[in-house]
Amino acid sequence: MVRFDQIVVKLRWPLILLFAGCTAFFASRIPDAEIDSEMKSMLPDDMPARLHIERIEDLFGGSDMVMLVIEADDVLADGPLRRLQEISRRMERTEGIDRVLSPFTLKDIRSEQGTLVVDPAVKSIPRTPQQREKLRQVLRDNELVYENVVAKDFTAAAAIGLLQVDADDSETIDALRAIIEEVPGPEPVSIAGMPFMRSIIAQDIQSDMKRFLPIGLAIMLVFLFLCFRQLRGVLLPFLVV
Protein backbone atom coordinates (compact mmCIF):
# COMPACT_ATOMS: atom_id res chain seq x y z
CA MET A 1 0.00 0.00 0.00
CA VAL A 2 1.39 3.38 -1.05
CA ARG A 3 1.64 5.78 1.85
CA PHE A 4 0.59 9.42 1.67
CA ASP A 5 4.12 10.70 2.36
CA GLN A 6 5.43 8.63 -0.54
CA ILE A 7 2.90 10.23 -2.87
CA VAL A 8 3.92 13.68 -1.66
CA VAL A 9 7.60 12.97 -2.25
CA LYS A 10 6.92 11.50 -5.68
CA LEU A 11 4.84 14.51 -6.75
CA ARG A 12 6.94 17.06 -4.92
CA TRP A 13 7.59 19.38 -7.88
CA PRO A 14 3.96 19.54 -9.10
CA LEU A 15 2.87 20.21 -5.50
CA ILE A 16 5.52 22.89 -5.01
CA LEU A 17 4.47 24.59 -8.25
CA LEU A 18 0.80 24.32 -7.29
CA PHE A 19 1.28 26.01 -3.92
CA ALA A 20 3.66 28.58 -5.40
CA GLY A 21 0.99 29.44 -7.97
CA CYS A 22 -1.67 29.75 -5.27
CA THR A 23 0.63 31.97 -3.23
CA ALA A 24 1.36 34.18 -6.25
CA PHE A 25 -2.37 34.48 -7.02
CA PHE A 26 -3.31 35.56 -3.51
CA ALA A 27 -0.30 37.88 -3.32
CA SER A 28 -1.49 39.59 -6.51
CA ARG A 29 -4.73 40.52 -4.71
CA ILE A 30 -2.95 42.33 -1.86
CA PRO A 31 -2.98 45.77 -3.60
CA ASP A 32 -6.79 45.55 -3.82
CA ALA A 33 -7.20 44.73 -0.13
CA GLU A 34 -9.14 47.28 1.93
CA ILE A 35 -9.50 47.78 5.67
CA ASP A 36 -13.18 47.71 6.62
CA SER A 37 -13.68 49.38 10.01
CA GLU A 38 -17.48 49.45 9.68
CA MET A 39 -19.01 47.85 12.79
CA LYS A 40 -22.06 46.77 10.79
CA SER A 41 -19.87 44.63 8.53
CA MET A 42 -18.98 42.48 11.55
CA LEU A 43 -22.63 41.45 11.96
CA PRO A 44 -24.09 38.48 10.02
CA ASP A 45 -25.97 39.48 6.86
CA ASP A 46 -29.18 37.83 8.13
CA MET A 47 -29.05 39.26 11.66
CA PRO A 48 -32.41 40.98 12.43
CA ALA A 49 -30.78 44.11 13.89
CA ARG A 50 -28.68 44.61 10.74
CA LEU A 51 -31.67 43.99 8.48
CA HIS A 52 -33.67 46.59 10.42
CA ILE A 53 -30.86 49.17 10.11
CA GLU A 54 -30.61 48.58 6.36
CA ARG A 55 -34.39 48.87 6.02
CA ILE A 56 -34.38 52.20 7.89
CA GLU A 57 -31.55 53.49 5.69
CA ASP A 58 -33.46 52.48 2.54
CA LEU A 59 -36.55 54.37 3.71
CA PHE A 60 -35.03 57.46 5.31
CA GLY A 61 -31.47 57.65 3.97
CA GLY A 62 -28.16 57.21 5.78
CA SER A 63 -28.10 57.12 9.58
CA ASP A 64 -24.42 58.07 9.96
CA MET A 65 -23.63 61.58 11.18
CA VAL A 66 -20.46 63.64 11.04
CA MET A 67 -20.06 66.91 12.93
CA LEU A 68 -17.97 70.04 12.69
CA VAL A 69 -17.94 71.70 16.12
CA ILE A 70 -16.74 75.27 16.52
CA GLU A 71 -15.73 76.56 19.95
CA ALA A 72 -15.61 80.16 21.18
CA ASP A 73 -16.24 82.24 24.27
CA ASP A 74 -19.58 83.11 22.68
CA VAL A 75 -20.57 81.35 19.44
CA LEU A 76 -23.19 84.05 18.82
CA ALA A 77 -20.47 86.65 18.37
CA ASP A 78 -20.13 87.99 14.85
CA GLY A 79 -16.93 86.10 13.87
CA PRO A 80 -17.78 82.56 15.07
CA LEU A 81 -21.39 82.77 13.89
CA ARG A 82 -20.45 83.92 10.37
CA ARG A 83 -17.82 81.19 10.18
CA LEU A 84 -20.36 78.56 11.26
CA GLN A 85 -22.80 79.86 8.64
CA GLU A 86 -20.23 79.48 5.85
CA ILE A 87 -19.19 76.03 7.11
CA SER A 88 -22.85 74.95 7.08
CA ARG A 89 -23.30 76.22 3.51
CA ARG A 90 -20.23 74.39 2.25
CA MET A 91 -21.21 71.18 3.98
CA GLU A 92 -24.55 71.26 2.16
CA ARG A 93 -22.64 71.28 -1.14
CA THR A 94 -20.29 68.46 -0.10
CA GLU A 95 -20.61 65.20 -2.00
CA GLY A 96 -21.72 62.36 0.23
CA ILE A 97 -23.65 64.57 2.69
CA ASP A 98 -27.42 64.28 2.31
CA ARG A 99 -28.48 67.17 4.55
CA VAL A 100 -27.07 69.42 7.25
CA LEU A 101 -28.45 70.27 10.69
CA SER A 102 -27.18 73.55 12.08
CA PRO A 103 -28.58 76.73 13.66
CA PHE A 104 -28.96 78.03 10.09
CA THR A 105 -30.89 75.06 8.68
CA LEU A 106 -33.08 74.07 11.63
CA LYS A 107 -36.39 75.83 12.14
CA ASP A 108 -38.00 77.92 14.85
CA ILE A 109 -41.57 76.58 15.09
CA ARG A 110 -43.92 78.54 17.32
CA SER A 111 -47.46 79.73 17.70
CA GLU A 112 -48.38 83.42 17.43
CA GLN A 113 -51.98 84.48 17.98
CA GLY A 114 -53.29 81.07 16.96
CA THR A 115 -51.09 80.92 13.86
CA LEU A 116 -48.29 78.41 13.29
CA VAL A 117 -45.09 80.29 12.42
CA VAL A 118 -42.05 78.54 10.94
CA ASP A 119 -38.86 80.59 10.63
CA PRO A 120 -35.16 79.76 10.39
CA ALA A 121 -33.68 79.34 13.86
CA VAL A 122 -31.15 82.05 12.98
CA LYS A 123 -32.64 84.52 10.50
CA SER A 124 -29.62 86.80 10.36
CA ILE A 125 -26.35 87.58 12.09
CA PRO A 126 -27.02 89.92 15.06
CA ARG A 127 -25.36 93.33 14.66
CA THR A 128 -25.78 94.73 18.16
CA PRO A 129 -25.46 93.28 21.68
CA GLN A 130 -29.23 93.68 22.08
CA GLN A 131 -29.90 91.62 18.96
CA ARG A 132 -27.44 89.01 20.14
CA GLU A 133 -29.17 88.63 23.51
CA LYS A 134 -32.54 88.42 21.80
CA LEU A 135 -31.23 85.64 19.54
CA ARG A 136 -29.78 83.88 22.56
CA GLN A 137 -33.21 83.79 24.21
CA VAL A 138 -34.87 82.62 20.99
CA LEU A 139 -32.41 79.73 20.73
CA ARG A 140 -32.91 78.81 24.40
CA ASP A 141 -36.62 78.39 23.68
CA ASN A 142 -35.95 76.25 20.61
CA GLU A 143 -35.67 72.58 21.63
CA LEU A 144 -34.44 71.61 18.17
CA VAL A 145 -31.40 73.86 18.51
CA TYR A 146 -30.61 74.40 22.18
CA GLU A 147 -28.37 71.66 23.63
CA ASN A 148 -28.50 69.87 20.25
CA VAL A 149 -26.47 72.00 17.84
CA VAL A 150 -25.75 74.83 20.31
CA ALA A 151 -24.12 74.18 23.68
CA LYS A 152 -25.97 75.07 26.86
CA ASP A 153 -23.46 77.80 27.71
CA PHE A 154 -23.12 78.99 24.08
CA THR A 155 -19.41 78.15 23.98
CA ALA A 156 -19.80 75.64 21.14
CA ALA A 157 -22.02 75.07 18.13
CA ALA A 158 -22.15 72.31 15.55
CA ALA A 159 -23.03 71.67 11.94
CA ILE A 160 -24.15 68.03 11.67
CA GLY A 161 -24.02 66.33 8.30
CA LEU A 162 -26.22 63.28 7.67
CA LEU A 163 -24.35 61.05 5.25
CA GLN A 164 -25.73 59.28 2.23
CA VAL A 165 -25.83 55.49 2.41
CA ASP A 166 -23.02 55.06 -0.14
CA ALA A 167 -20.82 57.89 1.18
CA ASP A 168 -17.10 57.15 1.47
CA ASP A 169 -15.74 57.92 4.94
CA SER A 170 -12.23 58.99 3.94
CA GLU A 171 -13.41 61.19 1.06
CA THR A 172 -16.02 62.87 3.27
CA ILE A 173 -13.54 63.53 6.09
CA ASP A 174 -11.00 64.92 3.60
CA ALA A 175 -13.69 67.25 2.24
CA LEU A 176 -14.54 68.47 5.75
CA ARG A 177 -10.87 69.11 6.55
CA ALA A 178 -10.70 71.15 3.33
CA ILE A 179 -13.73 73.18 4.45
CA ILE A 180 -12.03 74.00 7.77
CA GLU A 181 -8.97 75.25 5.90
CA GLU A 182 -11.05 77.21 3.37
CA VAL A 183 -13.03 78.96 6.13
CA PRO A 184 -10.21 80.07 8.46
CA GLY A 185 -10.63 81.70 11.83
CA PRO A 186 -9.14 81.87 15.33
CA GLU A 187 -11.73 79.48 16.77
CA PRO A 188 -10.82 75.77 17.04
CA VAL A 189 -12.98 73.47 14.89
CA SER A 190 -13.20 69.75 15.65
CA ILE A 191 -14.48 66.83 13.59
CA ALA A 192 -16.54 64.14 15.31
CA GLY A 193 -18.87 61.28 14.48
CA MET A 194 -18.66 57.59 13.57
CA PRO A 195 -17.41 58.20 9.99
CA PHE A 196 -14.48 60.13 11.47
CA MET A 197 -13.82 57.38 14.01
CA ARG A 198 -13.88 54.70 11.30
CA SER A 199 -11.46 56.73 9.20
CA ILE A 200 -9.07 57.12 12.15
CA ILE A 201 -9.32 53.41 13.01
CA ALA A 202 -8.46 52.43 9.42
CA GLN A 203 -5.44 54.76 9.47
CA ASP A 204 -4.31 53.38 12.84
CA ILE A 205 -4.59 49.78 11.61
CA GLN A 206 -2.41 50.58 8.60
CA SER A 207 0.09 52.43 10.78
CA ASP A 208 0.26 49.56 13.29
CA MET A 209 0.78 47.01 10.51
CA LYS A 210 3.67 49.01 9.07
CA ARG A 211 5.24 49.42 12.50
CA PHE A 212 4.72 46.00 14.10
CA LEU A 213 4.86 43.60 11.14
CA PRO A 214 8.64 44.09 10.57
CA ILE A 215 9.24 43.80 14.31
CA GLY A 216 7.24 40.55 14.43
CA LEU A 217 9.13 39.10 11.47
CA ALA A 218 12.47 40.05 13.03
CA ILE A 219 11.53 38.33 16.30
CA MET A 220 10.50 35.26 14.31
CA LEU A 221 13.87 35.13 12.53
CA VAL A 222 15.80 35.44 15.79
CA PHE A 223 13.67 32.74 17.43
CA LEU A 224 14.15 30.34 14.48
CA PHE A 225 17.90 30.89 14.53
CA LEU A 226 18.10 30.23 18.27
CA CYS A 227 16.12 27.03 17.78
CA PHE A 228 17.85 25.55 14.72
CA ARG A 229 21.26 27.30 14.57
CA GLN A 230 21.43 26.98 10.78
CA LEU A 231 20.36 29.03 7.78
CA ARG A 232 18.10 26.34 6.35
CA GLY A 233 16.26 26.04 9.65
CA VAL A 234 15.57 29.80 9.50
CA LEU A 235 14.68 30.27 5.84
CA LEU A 236 12.39 27.28 5.22
CA PRO A 237 9.86 27.96 8.06
CA PHE A 238 10.09 31.69 7.33
CA LEU A 239 9.21 31.21 3.65
CA VAL A 240 6.24 29.05 4.61
CA VAL A 241 4.91 31.81 6.84
Side-chain angles (χ1 to χ4, degrees):
M1 183 175 179
V2 180
R3 296 187 308 178
F4 177 75
D5 57 346
Q6 293 175 333
I7 297 176
V8 171
V9 172
K10 184 178 180 179
L11 301 177
R12 56 189 179 276
W13 285 113
L15 289 173
I16 290 174
L17 293 175
L18 173 63
F19 283 101
C22 293
T23 301
F25 170 75
F26 288 113
S28 68
R29 309 306 302 167
I30 290 178
D32 298 328
E34 296 181 357
I35 296 176
D36 186 3
S37 54
E38 171 61 71
M39 296 295 294
K40 187 171 63 176
S41 301
M42 302 179 187
L43 304 177
D45 293 338
D46 57 350
M47 185 174 182
R50 178 171 180 174
L51 295 175
H52 292 160
I53 292 174
E54 293 175 349
R55 177 62 175 166
I56 291 172
E57 290 179 344
D58 290 339
L59 292 174
F60 302 104
S63 57
D64 276 341
M65 297 185 297
V66 64
M67 295 175 283
L68 289 185
V69 182
I70 185 170
E71 300 177 65
D73 293 336
D74 183 3
V75 292
L76 299 186
D78 184 79
L81 198 58
R82 289 187 184 277
R83 191 179 180 198
L84 179 63
Q85 183 182 42
E86 184 60 25
I87 287 175
S88 178
R89 287 174 179 170
R90 292 177 182 248
M91 286 181 66
E92 290 181 302
R93 300 194 295 266
T94 299
E95 184 177 356
I97 294 181
D98 189 27
R99 60 188 185 277
V100 175
L101 307 179
S102 77
F104 296 94
T105 61
L106 292 172
K107 303 300 181 181
D108 178 22
I109 304 174
R110 63 188 186 279
S111 174
E112 290 185 358
Q113 299 178 351
T115 302
L116 182 65
V117 178
V118 180
D119 286 329
V122 179
K123 292 183 180 180
S124 60
I125 305 295
R127 298 178 179 273
T128 64
Q130 293 77 15
Q131 291 176 343
R132 187 185 307 165
E133 292 307 314
K134 182 179 179 180
L135 175 60
R136 196 185 313 275
Q137 187 56 48
V138 169
L139 295 181
R140 281 198 180 101
D141 296 336
N142 190 331
E143 295 181 355
L144 295 175
V145 176
Y146 191 55
E147 294 189 71
N148 285 318
V149 295
V150 174
K152 186 176 182 179
D153 56 0
F154 291 93
T155 59
I160 303 174
L162 301 179
L163 269 60
Q164 299 171 359
V165 177
D166 57 350
D168 182 88
D169 287 343
S170 59
E171 292 180 359
T172 303
I173 298 304
D174 289 343
L176 295 181
R177 288 194 175 108
I179 290 176
I180 296 174
E181 293 179 358
E182 294 166 0
V183 188
E187 307 84 12
V189 178
S190 305
I191 306 178
M194 280 306 299
F196 177 69
M197 293 300 299
R198 289 196 298 264
S199 176
I200 294 299
I201 290 173
Q203 293 176 9
D204 288 346
I205 291 175
Q206 293 177 347
S207 176
D208 289 345
M209 289 178 64
K210 293 177 181 178
R211 180 183 299 111
F212 294 115
L213 184 59
I215 296 175
L217 294 178
I219 293 174
M220 184 188 304
L221 290 173
V222 172
F223 182 76
L224 290 173
F225 179 76
L226 294 176
C227 289
F228 298 106
R229 299 286 181 171
Q230 56 181 340
L231 184 62
R232 185 176 63 177
V234 173
L235 293 181
L236 289 180
F238 182 75
L239 289 175
V240 171
V241 173

